[in-house]
Amino acid sequence: MTVKVQLPAADVRTRVTVPLRFADGYETVADVFTFTGLADGKEHLALGLGDYRDNPIPLVRPHSECLTGDVFGSERCDCGPQLREAVERIAGAGGFLLYLRQEGRGIGLYAKLDAYALQDQGLDTYAANRALGHADDERDYTAAAQMLHALGADKVTLLTNNPDKGAQLERLGITIDETRPTAVHLSAANARYLRAKVAHTGHTLTLD
Ligand SMILES: [Zn+2]
């Protein structure tokens, strides 16, 4: 039996409509939610996409912030294409994209760039984090679970290849009805990074 963690309640603070337009021309509209009472005090966001109000089991992706990938289109990781894919799929199904302010698997932006420098010397993404004194993955989904509870989304379909996300959310009282994988966004620049994800954390990616 899983031990469930008692969470302090968070509340919706504001909801504002934001039209989105991506670099490839894809457009949709998001209801962007802010919150009070999030456990770590950070400014996490939830984007309500598509008919999220009418979907009793919303499609949800917790996306951890990646400045280089999300904003600048860095090809060292697959975050940008994952974010783009997730927004369209959630808009189609109705659900929420949780934009979590935990850069670099929770180690921060500067440390992530330091880890890139070590990777250029031959370490993989996890070994580089450990060489800097960090754990493989320091991400925590407490705030994600608090946001889902505040949005009334206690039961969700999860969009992820990362088994740790579902396991953490279930411990935090979110029922995962189903887990759907995201596509593989493989490029010459991120192949080594994606292989490390599969080998170290059981990400459900099929790489040739
Ligand atoms: Zn990234």
Side-chain angles (χ1 to χ4, degrees), residues 7-12 33-36 38 42-47 62 96-101 141-154 174:
L7 282 183
D11 292 300
V12 170
F33 293 87
T34 69
F35 299 86
T36 56
L38 295 178
K42 290 185 187 159
E43 293 182 329
H44 306 288
L45 297 177
L47 276 65
F96 300 99
L97 182 112
L98 306 179
Y99 196 79
L100 305 172
R101 315 299 299 280
Y141 297 97
T142 304
Q146 287 181 296
M147 287 194 279
L148 290 173
H149 286 304
L151 293 163
D154 295 325
I174 302 297

Side-chain angles (χ1 to χ4, degrees), residues 156-184:
V156 305
T157 298
L158 202 60
L159 183 60
T160 185
N161 297 319
N162 181 354
D164 183 48
K165 288 182 182 173
Q168 284 204 34
L169 289 174
E170 292 233 288
R171 277 199 300 277
L172 294 160
I174 302 297
T175 302
I176 312 295
D177 186 60
E178 184 195 337
T179 300
R180 294 189 193 156
T182 58
V184 176

Side-chain angles (χ1 to χ4, degrees), residues 66 68-69 77-79 112 116 193:
C66 174
T68 47
C77 59
D78 58 345
C79 304
K112 180 179 85 171
Y116 280 175
Y193 164 82

